[in-house]
Amino acid sequence: MRTLEAEDVDWGAGCFVGGSLCLDFCNTQGGRSKARDNERLSSYQAVVGWADAAQGLDVREASALLLMAQAHPEQALRSLEQLRAFRERLHRLFAALASNQVPLAADLASVRAEICAAIAVAELTRHEQGFSWEVTIEAVGLQTPLARVALSAQQLLSSEAVVHVRECERCSWLFVDRSKNKRRRWCKTETCGNRARAARHYQMTKG
């Protein structure tokens, strides 16, 4: 049982449509339009809640990070600010790739720096299907969510799936298009898809 509770944010299944931890992380900002004006990571505790729900942390790790954040609030705040800054650079990078544009050099440099920092403290772990980089809270403490997102970004950027990264046509959310015909347009059909259809219907019937 946790000694502390993560901030009470509803991280339901609808928050995890990206198909990759790093894209779901990018999607913690943004509302019903392309404007990224709805911040859901309002505190480090909210970060822990998101990472727990995204299966980027287990219960033991989440509890430990909440205790660390309580014991070191200034360090937790710096980690939160670093996470948010990295998220927006990561979003711009993947959004550029999704639209077949050249990413900004500054965004590429920033993402590369975070990936290199994560790999520098990670262990190369063997699995049945190969190897992966893994970091522990014992090694990086409050930086664990950032490091794991960075390693997820490295994995996606170096995989064939990167060419199927899409940005929702209505909002700013990102996802890997794994549909059979690779024509997925919306982050979620029941939200952005329905709003787009309603908007088209209104345009056709008004006047």
Side-chain angles (χ1 to χ4, degrees), residues 2 4-12 15-16 24-25 28-29 38-57 62 65-66 69-70 76-77 79-80 83-84 87 142 145 149:
R2 297 184 187 179
L4 300 174
E5 290 298 324
E7 191 168 296
D8 186 18
V9 178
D10 181 17
W11 298 112
C15 299
F16 304 102
D24 285 330
F25 176 66
T28 59
Q29 172 86 317
N38 181 17
E39 176 62 76
R40 304 196 75 189
L41 300 183
S42 57
S43 68
Y44 188 85
Q45 286 72 18
V47 172
V48 173
W50 168 79
D52 185 8
Q55 300 183 349
L57 296 170
L65 289 180
L66 289 172
Q70 184 185 52
L77 180 58
S79 294
L80 173 64
L83 275 159
R84 287 176 175 171
R87 180 190 58 194
L142 292 169
V149 168

Side-chain angles (χ1 to χ4, degrees), residues 55-148:
Q55 300 183 349
L57 296 170
D58 61 29
V59 172
R60 179 193 68 84
E61 292 171 328
S63 296
L65 289 180
L66 289 172
L67 288 170
M68 289 182 195
Q70 184 185 52
H72 306 284
E74 292 184 359
Q75 185 179 343
L77 180 58
R78 288 194 296 271
S79 294
L80 173 64
E81 292 172 347
Q82 187 177 355
L83 275 159
R84 287 176 175 171
F86 178 57
R87 180 190 58 194
E88 296 313 297
R89 295 184 186 111
L90 195 62
H91 183 275
R92 287 195 298 267
L93 170 60
F94 280 117
L97 295 177
S99 59
N100 295 314
Q101 295 180 358
V102 178
L104 295 175
D107 293 334
L108 280 171
S110 175
V111 170
R112 178 184 181 278
E114 294 295 356
I115 289 173
C116 289
I119 291 176
V121 295
E123 296 290 337
L124 188 58
T125 304
R126 186 170 186 173
H127 304 283
E128 290 185 3
Q129 298 181 348
F131 292 83
S132 65
W133 294 106
E134 296 185 1
V135 294
T136 66
I137 62 170
E138 290 76 18
V140 294
L142 292 169
Q143 295 291 84
T144 301
L146 175 60
R148 289 186 178 167

Side-chain angles (χ1 to χ4, degrees), residues 12-17 32 168 170 173 184-198:
C15 299
F16 304 102
V17 300
R32 294 186 176 186
C168 178
R170 191 168 180 88
W173 278 23
R184 180 178 164 190
R185 301 171 64 188
W186 323 111
C187 59
K188 292 179 285 186
T189 301
E190 65 272 21
T191 54
C192 283
N194 286 343
R195 292 182 191 120
R197 284 189 287 271

